[in-house]
Amino acid sequence: MREFLKTKGFKMTPQRELIFRSFFELDRHVSVDELYDKVRQQDNTIGYSTVWRNLKLICKVGLAEEVNLGDGVTRYDRVTQGPHGHLYCLQCKELVEFDVEPVLEFLTVAADEHKFAPDGIKIEIQGHCAKCRKANKKKARPVDQPAAKRLAEKRP
Amino acid sequence: MREFLKTKGFKMTPQRELIFRSFFELDRHVSVDELYDKVRQQDNTIGYSTVWRNLKLICKVGLAEEVNLGDGVTRYDRVTQGPHGHLYCLQCKELVEFDVEPVLEFLTVAADEHKFAPDGIKIEIQGHCAKCRKANKKKARPVDQPAAKRLAEKRP
DNA sequence: ATTGAAAATGAAATTCGATTTCATTTGGCT
DNA sequence: AGCCAAATGAAATCGAATTTCATTTTCAAT
């Protein structure tokens, strides 16, 4: 990694080493805060801005990319093998990946038709995971409308 | 619209009327600031928070939804006929829509395989529009390496 | 028409993640 | 060893999003 960074004009430091290692150890899609917490457990002198800057650096050198789910927190997603979409549970915030290979060509063609040169493709499905749905069913079961009323509304 | 809102328990006001009308008149994907500017031209007493709250309300009643392109500004996209993806030019910020009907089923199945109940699907292609690419070519044409040097590097 | 509760408004303040500033330290070269 | 650009940490700043609060307005029930 030291060599890799050197070729891009960046230096290696103990802090950077720890931050990079922690990022790649951690499960994907971490926020700055999450990584900061993890790093802090091993070196409680590292500054927040250092973690932030290094996360940005990881993106800049192409090893990760930002993910925005619209909840106001930027997450950093390790760039791995292939392109993938995100399934995002609106309730528990779980984020799982799924393969999008089969739709890539369609999207590329679509971009082409509009004369766009695509740089990145993002596919996100927001919804509710199985666990949360099961939990919801137990708790807040909606009150069933009486059949009489239901029928009454059909023919006013 | 007054009646529509009433059924959902909201009241109509002159400000709301103007904000709603402006939103639907405006091209899609407006930010709060953009809508605020437009509204202000017609009534310079309307407060920013009123515009913000009404934009949220438009979403709440299902007439629009938030779009996050990761540039730090939330836009509000009128919900129209069918689902669509976004082509987003990273340079000039132009945002155009394209039909995603053909990939919907694939994505639904994918969600299902992971036991997710999808609420919304977002497909975004970031890149560069034709206009920006053409402009770039004119300006920052990369300096062509002399043939001699190119050849020299091939066989050291 | 009057009225009272709930909803809406406008201005200002607050929140909070992202980003920058700046003084100091450090890495990696000669 | 000595230099200089890059990196760091703490604190300050930024800006969009959101909330607070005192006041006004809507609208349904009188």
PDB file of all heavy atoms in Angstrom, chain D residues 9-21:
ATOM      1  P    DG D   9      -3.606  12.796  13.960  1.00  0.00           P
ATOM      2  OP1  DG D   9      -3.094  11.841  14.969  1.00  0.00           O
ATOM      3  OP2  DG D   9      -4.704  12.413  13.065  1.00  0.00           O
ATOM      4  O5'  DG D   9      -4.019  14.127  14.716  1.00  0.00           O
ATOM      5  C5'  DG D   9      -3.058  14.774  15.541  1.00  0.00           C
ATOM      6  C4'  DG D   9      -3.677  16.004  16.169  1.00  0.00           C
ATOM      7  O4'  DG D   9      -3.746  17.072  15.193  1.00  0.00           O
ATOM      8  C3'  DG D   9      -5.095  15.824  16.694  1.00  0.00           C
ATOM      9  O3'  DG D   9      -5.159  16.528  17.929  1.00  0.00           O
ATOM     10  C2'  DG D   9      -5.966  16.474  15.613  1.00  0.00           C
ATOM     11  C1'  DG D   9      -5.067  17.573  15.089  1.00  0.00           C
ATOM     12  N9   DG D   9      -5.239  17.938  13.683  1.00  0.00           N
ATOM     13  C8   DG D   9      -5.645  17.123  12.651  1.00  0.00           C
ATOM     14  N7   DG D   9      -5.659  17.728  11.487  1.00  0.00           N
ATOM     15  C5   DG D   9      -5.243  19.022  11.761  1.00  0.00           C
ATOM     16  C6   DG D   9      -5.055  20.128  10.904  1.00  0.00           C
ATOM     17  O6   DG D   9      -5.226  20.193   9.683  1.00  0.00           O
ATOM     18  N1   DG D   9      -4.623  21.254  11.589  1.00  0.00           N
ATOM     19  C2   DG D   9      -4.388  21.295  12.950  1.00  0.00           C
ATOM     20  N2   DG D   9      -3.975  22.457  13.435  1.00  0.00           N
ATOM     21  N3   DG D   9      -4.543  20.270  13.768  1.00  0.00           N
ATOM     22  C4   DG D   9      -4.981  19.155  13.114  1.00  0.00           C
ATOM     23  P    DA D  10      -6.347  16.368  18.919  1.00  0.00           P
ATOM     24  OP1  DA D  10      -5.773  15.995  20.222  1.00  0.00           O
ATOM     25  OP2  DA D  10      -7.412  15.550  18.305  1.00  0.00           O
ATOM     26  O5'  DA D  10      -6.864  17.869  19.020  1.00  0.00           O
ATOM     27  C5'  DA D  10      -5.892  18.909  19.191  1.00  0.00           C
ATOM     28  C4'  DA D  10      -6.550  20.239  18.910  1.00  0.00           C
ATOM     29  O4'  DA D  10      -6.560  20.471  17.483  1.00  0.00           O
ATOM     30  C3'  DA D  10      -7.994  20.333  19.396  1.00  0.00           C
ATOM     31  O3'  DA D  10      -8.106  21.481  20.218  1.00  0.00           O
ATOM     32  C2'  DA D  10      -8.817  20.412  18.119  1.00  0.00           C
ATOM     33  C1'  DA D  10      -7.824  20.971  17.095  1.00  0.00           C
ATOM     34  N9   DA D  10      -8.048  20.508  15.732  1.00  0.00           N
ATOM     35  C8   DA D  10      -8.439  19.250  15.327  1.00  0.00           C
ATOM     36  N7   DA D  10      -8.559  19.124  14.021  1.00  0.00           N
ATOM     37  C5   DA D  10      -8.216  20.371  13.535  1.00  0.00           C
ATOM     38  C6   DA D  10      -8.135  20.887  12.233  1.00  0.00           C
ATOM     39  N6   DA D  10      -8.418  20.178  11.135  1.00  0.00           N
ATOM     40  N1   DA D  10      -7.768  22.185  12.085  1.00  0.00           N
ATOM     41  C2   DA D  10      -7.491  22.894  13.185  1.00  0.00           C
ATOM     42  N3   DA D  10      -7.525  22.525  14.472  1.00  0.00           N
ATOM     43  C4   DA D  10      -7.903  21.234  14.575  1.00  0.00           C
ATOM     44  P    DA D  11      -9.540  21.908  20.804  1.00  0.00           P
ATOM     45  OP1  DA D  11      -9.298  22.455  22.148  1.00  0.00           O
ATOM     46  OP2  DA D  11     -10.506  20.802  20.593  1.00  0.00           O
ATOM     47  O5'  DA D  11      -9.940  23.112  19.839  1.00  0.00           O
ATOM     48  C5'  DA D  11      -8.920  23.961  19.315  1.00  0.00           C
ATOM     49  C4'  DA D  11      -9.514  24.813  18.223  1.00  0.00           C
ATOM     50  O4'  DA D  11      -9.543  24.069  16.981  1.00  0.00           O
ATOM     51  C3'  DA D  11     -10.952  25.261  18.507  1.00  0.00           C
ATOM     52  O3'  DA D  11     -11.042  26.661  18.342  1.00  0.00           O
ATOM     53  C2'  DA D  11     -11.781  24.477  17.485  1.00  0.00           C
ATOM     54  C1'  DA D  11     -10.787  24.272  16.349  1.00  0.00           C
ATOM     55  N9   DA D  11     -11.057  23.094  15.519  1.00  0.00           N
ATOM     56  C8   DA D  11     -11.393  21.837  15.931  1.00  0.00           C
ATOM     57  N7   DA D  11     -11.581  20.981  14.943  1.00  0.00           N
ATOM     58  C5   DA D  11     -11.357  21.739  13.808  1.00  0.00           C
ATOM     59  C6   DA D  11     -11.389  21.424  12.436  1.00  0.00           C
ATOM     60  N6   DA D  11     -11.684  20.213  11.963  1.00  0.00           N
ATOM     61  N1   DA D  11     -11.100  22.411  11.557  1.00  0.00           N
ATOM     62  C2   DA D  11     -10.805  23.628  12.028  1.00  0.00           C
ATOM     63  N3   DA D  11     -10.741  24.049  13.294  1.00  0.00           N
ATOM     64  C4   DA D  11     -11.029  23.042  14.140  1.00  0.00           C
ATOM     65  P    DA D  12     -12.446  27.393  18.417  1.00  0.00           P
ATOM     66  OP1  DA D  12     -12.235  28.587  19.241  1.00  0.00           O
ATOM     67  OP2  DA D  12     -13.505  26.407  18.755  1.00  0.00           O
ATOM     68  O5'  DA D  12     -12.691  27.874  16.915  1.00  0.00           O
ATOM     69  C5'  DA D  12     -11.595  28.386  16.169  1.00  0.00           C
ATOM     70  C4'  DA D  12     -12.014  28.536  14.721  1.00  0.00           C
ATOM     71  O4'  DA D  12     -12.114  27.235  14.110  1.00  0.00           O
ATOM     72  C3'  DA D  12     -13.369  29.224  14.539  1.00  0.00           C
ATOM     73  O3'  DA D  12     -13.261  30.202  13.525  1.00  0.00           O
ATOM     74  C2'  DA D  12     -14.300  28.067  14.171  1.00  0.00           C
ATOM     75  C1'  DA D  12     -13.360  27.112  13.454  1.00  0.00           C
ATOM     76  N9   DA D  12     -13.750  25.698  13.522  1.00  0.00           N
ATOM     77  C8   DA D  12     -14.031  24.963  14.642  1.00  0.00           C
ATOM     78  N7   DA D  12     -14.344  23.704  14.397  1.00  0.00           N
ATOM     79  C5   DA D  12     -14.267  23.605  13.023  1.00  0.00           C
ATOM     80  C6   DA D  12     -14.475  22.532  12.126  1.00  0.00           C
ATOM     81  N6   DA D  12     -14.829  21.306  12.521  1.00  0.00           N
ATOM     82  N1   DA D  12     -14.309  22.771  10.806  1.00  0.00           N
ATOM     83  C2   DA D  12     -13.954  24.012  10.419  1.00  0.00           C
ATOM     84  N3   DA D  12     -13.719  25.100  11.160  1.00  0.00           N
ATOM     85  C4   DA D  12     -13.898  24.819  12.467  1.00  0.00           C
ATOM     86  P    DT D  13     -14.541  31.075  13.155  1.00  0.00           P
ATOM     87  OP1  DT D  13     -14.054  32.415  12.764  1.00  0.00           O
ATOM     88  OP2  DT D  13     -15.566  30.889  14.205  1.00  0.00           O
ATOM     89  O5'  DT D  13     -15.068  30.365  11.828  1.00  0.00           O
ATOM     90  C5'  DT D  13     -14.141  30.017  10.813  1.00  0.00           C
ATOM     91  C4'  DT D  13     -14.849  29.257   9.733  1.00  0.00           C
ATOM     92  O4'  DT D  13     -15.131  27.910  10.165  1.00  0.00           O
ATOM     93  C3'  DT D  13     -16.184  29.877   9.317  1.00  0.00           C
ATOM     94  O3'  DT D  13     -16.100  30.141   7.933  1.00  0.00           O
ATOM     95  C2'  DT D  13     -17.219  28.806   9.674  1.00  0.00           C
ATOM     96  C1'  DT D  13     -16.387  27.542   9.634  1.00  0.00           C
ATOM     97  N1   DT D  13     -16.857  26.375  10.439  1.00  0.00           N
ATOM     98  C2   DT D  13     -17.066  25.168   9.818  1.00  0.00           C
ATOM     99  O2   DT D  13     -16.912  25.004   8.625  1.00  0.00           O
ATOM    100  N3   DT D  13     -17.460  24.150  10.641  1.00  0.00           N
ATOM    101  C4   DT D  13     -17.662  24.222  12.012  1.00  0.00           C
ATOM    102  O4   DT D  13     -18.018  23.231  12.641  1.00  0.00           O
ATOM    103  C5   DT D  13     -17.432  25.508  12.609  1.00  0.00           C
ATOM    104  C7   DT D  13     -17.632  25.694  14.082  1.00  0.00           C
ATOM    105  C6   DT D  13     -17.045  26.516  11.815  1.00  0.00           C
ATOM    106  P    DC D  14     -17.235  31.000   7.178  1.00  0.00           P
ATOM    107  OP1  DC D  14     -16.604  31.793   6.103  1.00  0.00           O
ATOM    108  OP2  DC D  14     -18.111  31.638   8.199  1.00  0.00           O
ATOM    109  O5'  DC D  14     -18.061  29.838   6.482  1.00  0.00           O
ATOM    110  C5'  DC D  14     -17.347  28.904   5.658  1.00  0.00           C
ATOM    111  C4'  DC D  14     -18.296  27.813   5.242  1.00  0.00           C
ATOM    112  O4'  DC D  14     -18.499  26.928   6.353  1.00  0.00           O
ATOM    113  C3'  DC D  14     -19.663  28.351   4.847  1.00  0.00           C
ATOM    114  O3'  DC D  14     -19.792  28.155   3.449  1.00  0.00           O
ATOM    115  C2'  DC D  14     -20.656  27.510   5.674  1.00  0.00           C
ATOM    116  C1'  DC D  14     -19.802  26.402   6.279  1.00  0.00           C
ATOM    117  N1   DC D  14     -20.140  25.973   7.668  1.00  0.00           N
ATOM    118  C2   DC D  14     -20.463  24.638   7.919  1.00  0.00           C
ATOM    119  O2   DC D  14     -20.490  23.849   6.978  1.00  0.00           O
ATOM    120  N3   DC D  14     -20.731  24.262   9.191  1.00  0.00           N
ATOM    121  C4   DC D  14     -20.688  25.144  10.183  1.00  0.00           C
ATOM    122  N4   DC D  14     -20.947  24.717  11.416  1.00  0.00           N
ATOM    123  C5   DC D  14     -20.357  26.514   9.948  1.00  0.00           C
ATOM    124  C6   DC D  14     -20.100  26.886   8.690  1.00  0.00           C
ATOM    125  P    DG D  15     -21.023  28.934   2.703  1.00  0.00           P
ATOM    126  OP1  DG D  15     -20.566  29.273   1.345  1.00  0.00           O
ATOM    127  OP2  DG D  15     -21.567  29.970   3.614  1.00  0.00           O
ATOM    128  O5'  DG D  15     -22.093  27.771   2.592  1.00  0.00           O
ATOM    129  C5'  DG D  15     -21.686  26.420   2.498  1.00  0.00           C
ATOM    130  C4'  DG D  15     -22.898  25.545   2.682  1.00  0.00           C
ATOM    131  O4'  DG D  15     -22.993  25.118   4.066  1.00  0.00           O
ATOM    132  C3'  DG D  15     -24.224  26.257   2.390  1.00  0.00           C
ATOM    133  O3'  DG D  15     -25.081  25.332   1.787  1.00  0.00           O
ATOM    134  C2'  DG D  15     -24.719  26.664   3.766  1.00  0.00           C
ATOM    135  C1'  DG D  15     -24.258  25.470   4.584  1.00  0.00           C
ATOM    136  N9   DG D  15     -24.094  25.744   5.999  1.00  0.00           N
ATOM    137  C8   DG D  15     -23.820  26.951   6.592  1.00  0.00           C
ATOM    138  N7   DG D  15     -23.737  26.881   7.891  1.00  0.00           N
ATOM    139  C5   DG D  15     -23.967  25.547   8.173  1.00  0.00           C
ATOM    140  C6   DG D  15     -24.001  24.861   9.409  1.00  0.00           C
ATOM    141  O6   DG D  15     -23.826  25.323  10.536  1.00  0.00           O
ATOM    142  N1   DG D  15     -24.278  23.512   9.245  1.00  0.00           N
ATOM    143  C2   DG D  15     -24.494  22.891   8.028  1.00  0.00           C
ATOM    144  N2   DG D  15     -24.738  21.586   8.051  1.00  0.00           N
ATOM    145  N3   DG D  15     -24.456  23.520   6.867  1.00  0.00           N
ATOM    146  C4   DG D  15     -24.192  24.837   7.018  1.00  0.00           C
ATOM    147  P    DA D  16     -26.208  25.879   0.792  1.00  0.00           P
ATOM    148  OP1  DA D  16     -25.629  25.920  -0.554  1.00  0.00           O
ATOM    149  OP2  DA D  16     -26.841  27.060   1.380  1.00  0.00           O
ATOM    150  O5'  DA D  16     -27.247  24.686   0.854  1.00  0.00           O
ATOM    151  C5'  DA D  16     -26.778  23.359   0.770  1.00  0.00           C
ATOM    152  C4'  DA D  16     -27.489  22.503   1.772  1.00  0.00           C
ATOM    153  O4'  DA D  16     -27.136  22.916   3.111  1.00  0.00           O
ATOM    154  C3'  DA D  16     -29.009  22.572   1.687  1.00  0.00           C
ATOM    155  O3'  DA D  16     -29.498  21.246   1.601  1.00  0.00           O
ATOM    156  C2'  DA D  16     -29.433  23.275   2.969  1.00  0.00           C
ATOM    157  C1'  DA D  16     -28.294  22.938   3.921  1.00  0.00           C
ATOM    158  N9   DA D  16     -28.063  23.925   4.976  1.00  0.00           N
ATOM    159  C8   DA D  16     -27.881  25.272   4.827  1.00  0.00           C
ATOM    160  N7   DA D  16     -27.665  25.911   5.964  1.00  0.00           N
ATOM    161  C5   DA D  16     -27.721  24.914   6.915  1.00  0.00           C
ATOM    162  C6   DA D  16     -27.579  24.938   8.319  1.00  0.00           C
ATOM    163  N6   DA D  16     -27.336  26.044   9.023  1.00  0.00           N
ATOM    164  N1   DA D  16     -27.693  23.762   8.965  1.00  0.00           N
ATOM    165  C2   DA D  16     -27.938  22.658   8.265  1.00  0.00           C
ATOM    166  N3   DA D  16     -28.088  22.501   6.949  1.00  0.00           N
ATOM    167  C4   DA D  16     -27.968  23.686   6.323  1.00  0.00           C
ATOM    168  P    DA D  17     -31.062  21.000   1.602  1.00  0.00           P
ATOM    169  OP1  DA D  17     -31.263  19.750   0.844  1.00  0.00           O
ATOM    170  OP2  DA D  17     -31.765  22.230   1.229  1.00  0.00           O
ATOM    171  O5'  DA D  17     -31.332  20.691   3.148  1.00  0.00           O
ATOM    172  C5'  DA D  17     -30.622  19.636   3.755  1.00  0.00           C
ATOM    173  C4'  DA D  17     -31.129  19.438   5.165  1.00  0.00           C
ATOM    174  O4'  DA D  17     -30.742  20.561   5.990  1.00  0.00           O
ATOM    175  C3'  DA D  17     -32.645  19.312   5.296  1.00  0.00           C
ATOM    176  O3'  DA D  17     -32.903  18.239   6.176  1.00  0.00           O
ATOM    177  C2'  DA D  17     -33.068  20.656   5.868  1.00  0.00           C
ATOM    178  C1'  DA D  17     -31.855  21.052   6.684  1.00  0.00           C
ATOM    179  N9   DA D  17     -31.636  22.489   6.859  1.00  0.00           N
ATOM    180  C8   DA D  17     -31.621  23.455   5.892  1.00  0.00           C
ATOM    181  N7   DA D  17     -31.358  24.664   6.347  1.00  0.00           N
ATOM    182  C5   DA D  17     -31.184  24.466   7.706  1.00  0.00           C
ATOM    183  C6   DA D  17     -30.872  25.355   8.760  1.00  0.00           C
ATOM    184  N6   DA D  17     -30.676  26.660   8.589  1.00  0.00           N
ATOM    185  N1   DA D  17     -30.767  24.835   9.997  1.00  0.00           N
ATOM    186  C2   DA D  17     -30.956  23.516  10.164  1.00  0.00           C
ATOM    187  N3   DA D  17     -31.247  22.590   9.260  1.00  0.00           N
ATOM    188  C4   DA D  17     -31.346  23.136   8.035  1.00  0.00           C
ATOM    189  P    DT D  18     -34.351  17.734   6.453  1.00  0.00           P
ATOM    190  OP1  DT D  18     -34.268  16.316   6.830  1.00  0.00           O
ATOM    191  OP2  DT D  18     -35.227  18.195   5.366  1.00  0.00           O
ATOM    192  O5'  DT D  18     -34.707  18.533   7.780  1.00  0.00           O
ATOM    193  C5'  DT D  18     -33.872  18.343   8.911  1.00  0.00           C
ATOM    194  C4'  DT D  18     -34.275  19.273  10.005  1.00  0.00           C
ATOM    195  O4'  DT D  18     -33.934  20.622   9.672  1.00  0.00           O
ATOM    196  C3'  DT D  18     -35.770  19.284  10.321  1.00  0.00           C
ATOM    197  O3'  DT D  18     -35.927  18.694  11.598  1.00  0.00           O
ATOM    198  C2'  DT D  18     -36.164  20.763  10.265  1.00  0.00           C
ATOM    199  C1'  DT D  18     -34.811  21.455  10.387  1.00  0.00           C
ATOM    200  N1   DT D  18     -34.697  22.809   9.811  1.00  0.00           N
ATOM    201  C2   DT D  18     -34.356  23.828  10.654  1.00  0.00           C
ATOM    202  O2   DT D  18     -34.162  23.681  11.845  1.00  0.00           O
ATOM    203  N3   DT D  18     -34.256  25.056  10.053  1.00  0.00           N
ATOM    204  C4   DT D  18     -34.446  25.365   8.727  1.00  0.00           C
ATOM    205  O4   DT D  18     -34.324  26.515   8.314  1.00  0.00           O
ATOM    206  C5   DT D  18     -34.809  24.252   7.886  1.00  0.00           C
ATOM    207  C7   DT D  18     -35.046  24.472   6.423  1.00  0.00           C
ATOM    208  C6   DT D  18     -34.910  23.045   8.456  1.00  0.00           C
ATOM    209  P    DT D  19     -37.306  18.685  12.351  1.00  0.00           P
ATOM    210  OP1  DT D  19     -37.357  17.461  13.181  1.00  0.00           O
ATOM    211  OP2  DT D  19     -38.369  18.988  11.381  1.00  0.00           O
ATOM    212  O5'  DT D  19     -37.144  19.921  13.333  1.00  0.00           O
ATOM    213  C5'  DT D  19     -35.976  20.019  14.132  1.00  0.00           C
ATOM    214  C4'  DT D  19     -36.076  21.229  15.042  1.00  0.00           C
ATOM    215  O4'  DT D  19     -35.924  22.440  14.269  1.00  0.00           O
ATOM    216  C3'  DT D  19     -37.401  21.354  15.783  1.00  0.00           C
ATOM    217  O3'  DT D  19     -37.083  21.646  17.132  1.00  0.00           O
ATOM    218  C2'  DT D  19     -38.116  22.506  15.070  1.00  0.00           C
ATOM    219  C1'  DT D  19     -36.948  23.352  14.584  1.00  0.00           C
ATOM    220  N1   DT D  19     -37.166  24.156  13.355  1.00  0.00           N
ATOM    221  C2   DT D  19     -36.860  25.486  13.380  1.00  0.00           C
ATOM    222  O2   DT D  19     -36.451  26.057  14.370  1.00  0.00           O
ATOM    223  N3   DT D  19     -37.059  26.140  12.185  1.00  0.00           N
ATOM    224  C4   DT D  19     -37.510  25.605  10.999  1.00  0.00           C
ATOM    225  O4   DT D  19     -37.637  26.298   9.992  1.00  0.00           O
ATOM    226  C5   DT D  19     -37.817  24.193  11.044  1.00  0.00           C
ATOM    227  C7   DT D  19     -38.316  23.506   9.810  1.00  0.00           C
ATOM    228  C6   DT D  19     -37.629  23.551  12.200  1.00  0.00           C
ATOM    229  P    DT D  20     -38.272  21.715  18.211  1.00  0.00           P
ATOM    230  OP1  DT D  20     -37.776  20.968  19.388  1.00  0.00           O
ATOM    231  OP2  DT D  20     -39.563  21.357  17.587  1.00  0.00           O
ATOM    232  O5'  DT D  20     -38.289  23.255  18.578  1.00  0.00           O
ATOM    233  C5'  DT D  20     -37.063  23.963  18.639  1.00  0.00           C
ATOM    234  C4'  DT D  20     -37.333  25.429  18.904  1.00  0.00           C
ATOM    235  O4'  DT D  20     -37.485  26.116  17.639  1.00  0.00           O
ATOM    236  C3'  DT D  20     -38.604  25.709  19.707  1.00  0.00           C
ATOM    237  O3'  DT D  20     -38.302  26.699  20.678  1.00  0.00           O
ATOM    238  C2'  DT D  20     -39.595  26.216  18.660  1.00  0.00           C
ATOM    239  C1'  DT D  20     -38.674  26.888  17.654  1.00  0.00           C
ATOM    240  N1   DT D  20     -39.156  26.927  16.248  1.00  0.00           N
ATOM    241  C2   DT D  20     -38.985  28.085  15.535  1.00  0.00           C
ATOM    242  O2   DT D  20     -38.482  29.081  16.009  1.00  0.00           O
ATOM    243  N3   DT D  20     -39.425  28.028  14.238  1.00  0.00           N
ATOM    244  C4   DT D  20     -40.007  26.952  13.598  1.00  0.00           C
ATOM    245  O4   DT D  20     -40.351  27.031  12.427  1.00  0.00           O
ATOM    246  C5   DT D  20     -40.163  25.770  14.405  1.00  0.00           C
ATOM    247  C7   DT D  20     -40.787  24.556  13.810  1.00  0.00           C
ATOM    248  C6   DT D  20     -39.730  25.817  15.676  1.00  0.00           C
ATOM    249  P    DC D  21     -39.290  26.878  21.954  1.00  0.00           P
ATOM    250  OP1  DC D  21     -38.432  27.150  23.132  1.00  0.00           O
ATOM    251  OP2  DC D  21     -40.294  25.788  21.982  1.00  0.00           O
ATOM    252  O5'  DC D  21     -40.034  28.228  21.576  1.00  0.00           O
ATOM    253  C5'  DC D  21     -39.276  29.333  21.065  1.00  0.00           C
ATOM    254  C4'  DC D  21     -40.216  30.392  20.519  1.00  0.00           C
ATOM    255  O4'  DC D  21     -40.459  30.138  19.114  1.00  0.00           O
ATOM    256  C3'  DC D  21     -41.593  30.402  21.201  1.00  0.00           C
ATOM    257  O3'  DC D  21     -41.994  31.751  21.339  1.00  0.00           O
ATOM    258  C2'  DC D  21     -42.470  29.678  20.184  1.00  0.00           C
ATOM    259  C1'  DC D  21     -41.857  30.204  18.891  1.00  0.00           C
ATOM    260  N1   DC D  21     -42.179  29.410  17.681  1.00  0.00           N
ATOM    261  C2   DC D  21     -42.145  30.051  16.431  1.00  0.00           C
ATOM    262  O2   DC D  21     -41.846  31.238  16.375  1.00  0.00           O
ATOM    263  N3   DC D  21     -42.450  29.325  15.322  1.00  0.00           N
ATOM    264  C4   DC D  21     -42.778  28.034  15.431  1.00  0.00           C
ATOM    265  N4   DC D  21     -43.063  27.375  14.310  1.00  0.00           N
ATOM    266  C5   DC D  21     -42.813  27.374  16.691  1.00  0.00           C
ATOM    267  C6   DC D  21     -42.508  28.090  17.789  1.00  0.00           C
TER     268       DC D  21
END
